[in-house]
Amino acid sequence: MTTYDHYTISDYDLAVEALRARTSVQPLVGLILGSGLGTLAESIEKADYIPYNEVPRFPQSQVLGHRNRFVAGTLEGVSVLAMQGRIHYYEGFSMQAVTFPVRVMQRMGVKVLIVTNAAGGLNPSFAAGDLMLITDHINLPGMAGNHPLIGHNDDALGERFPDMSAAYDPQLCAVARSTAQAKGITLHEGVYMGLSGPSFETPAEVRMLQRLGADAVGMSTVGEVTVARHGGMRVLGFSGITNMLVAGETHGQEVSHADVLAMGRDKIAPALAALVRGVLASLRG
Ligand code: HPA
């Protein structure tokens, strides 16, 4: 199934208008918090909460473990607009719908997007519970024709053929590395493979993904990052490795959404929160 939606700037701006009616925050940084990683939004100060179902045109996500609301406020002295829960392709939304929130952020004036996700580890040097700085990605659905920028290009939003040679901002990556070091957080680095989901990978698929050069795999992020780059945002991304994927036997290596959520919440979210706070503090300038 490949579906396309066509949104215009007036669709995005209807959503922006609704947000502006609920918050006076002028966000510099957008935060997308993945499965089990939404707790950081609870510590946003002077917070305004705007449920997605109160935002016109907004796709309505139902995934367990997501609060499905915007949280606008201040974190480490920086104005932020956080998404507690994201829209997933596997819910049946088009890639244009999946990336609708990024356009809303763009029209709200967000300049830096920090994305987080829960991911399966493909690099054998990783372990469940680890964090990975995303230095690059492979947009497999996009390469196969399911790309959020297919369709009419509005030059007011971005250029027809956006450059993706440094999608994950090298300067922000450097800040993340030094923050991790200063806080004693182990931070792996690698390539994130975005797939549609919702099934987890077979052992043969795991082997294939490893050979394609991926270090972690998940069901989100690549569309959002592509649209953010199209819109001129600087991007920083982190994967929380909730489980390791094994290329050989399946025996004893089952993956479940409940395990993904629990690992995200208990082990990864606290380290990720410290890391994101450190990066934000450095953006305060
Ligand atoms: N595969 C795909 N997506 C995921 C995984 C996985 O193993 N773990 C968390 N998200």
Side-chain angles (χ1 to χ4, degrees):
M1 178 194 68
T2 302
T3 59
Y4 297 99
D5 279 316
H6 181 65
Y7 296 104
T8 64
I9 283 185
S10 56
D11 293 308
Y12 304 133
D13 287 355
L14 258 185
V16 167
E17 220 174 279
L19 283 177
R20 290 205 196 286
R22 299 283 297 269
T23 183
S24 59
V25 172
Q26 308 257 4
L28 170 71
V29 175
L31 277 173
I32 303 182
L33 302 169
S35 301
L37 307 176
T39 46
L40 181 60
E42 315 283 347
S43 50
I44 290 175
E45 296 147 34
K46 295 180 233 136
D48 296 312
Y49 300 93
I50 306 118
Y52 298 156
N53 63 15
E54 294 175 23
V55 180
R57 303 284 194 275
F58 212 85
Q60 301 303 321
S61 170
Q62 308 288 347
V63 183
L64 217 66
H66 293 259
R67 296 291 294 266
N68 296 317
R69 62 183 185 183
F70 281 110
V71 186
T74 306
L75 201 54
E76 297 293 329
V78 178
S79 59
V80 299
L81 179 63
M83 288 183 73
Q84 233 177 347
R86 55 153 57 87
I87 316 300
H88 293 90
Y89 181 75
Y90 60 72
E91 296 173 77
F93 296 111
S94 68
M95 283 307 295
Q96 290 78 25
V98 166
T99 55
F100 185 96
V102 178
R103 290 299 188 202
V104 172
M105 287 180 172
Q106 180 184 349
R107 301 293 292 172
M108 286 287 286
V110 165
K111 302 291 182 232
V112 174
L113 179 66
I114 302 179
V115 287
T116 69
N117 56 54
L122 295 166
N123 184 323
S125 75
F126 297 176
D130 286 351
L131 285 177
M132 184 187 91
L133 173 68
I134 307 176
T135 54
D136 205 349
H137 77 212
I138 300 172
N139 180 358
L140 206 66
M143 295 176 85
N146 199 345
H147 193 288
L149 301 178
I150 284 180
H152 171 74
N153 188 70
D154 188 338
D155 294 337
L157 292 171
E159 59 186 305
R160 172 76 288 187
F161 301 106
D163 177 67
M164 289 294 282
S165 65
Y168 296 84
D169 191 90
Q171 266 179 296
L172 291 176
C173 286
V175 170
R177 286 183 196 106
S178 56
T179 303
Q181 198 166 27
K183 294 186 180 258
I185 297 166
T186 303
L187 183 61
H188 298 292
E189 301 194 8
V191 173
Y192 176 88
M193 172 74 75
L195 303 181
S196 75
S199 54
F200 292 112
E201 295 70 32
T202 67
E205 288 166 343
V206 170
R207 270 194 302 282
M208 181 193 93
L209 297 174
Q210 287 170 331
R211 284 178 190 164
L212 290 177
D215 298 288
V217 58
M219 305 174 190
S220 66
T221 303
V222 292
E224 297 155 353
V225 169
T226 303
V227 168
R229 292 299 299 144
H230 181 254
M233 293 181 201
R234 297 167 66 203
V235 174
L236 179 67
F238 298 106
S239 287
I241 307 299
T242 53
N243 56 282
M244 285 303 292
L245 291 163
V246 179
E249 299 297 312
T250 49
H251 179 71
Q253 302 292 343
E254 289 91 355
V255 185
S256 80
H257 187 55
D259 291 346
V260 165
L261 289 181
M263 181 60 85
R265 202 174 41 234
D266 302 340
K267 171 104 201 273
I268 294 168
L272 192 67
L275 203 50
V276 171
R277 280 177 172 280
V279 171
L280 287 173
S282 81
L283 289 177
R284 195 169 49 214

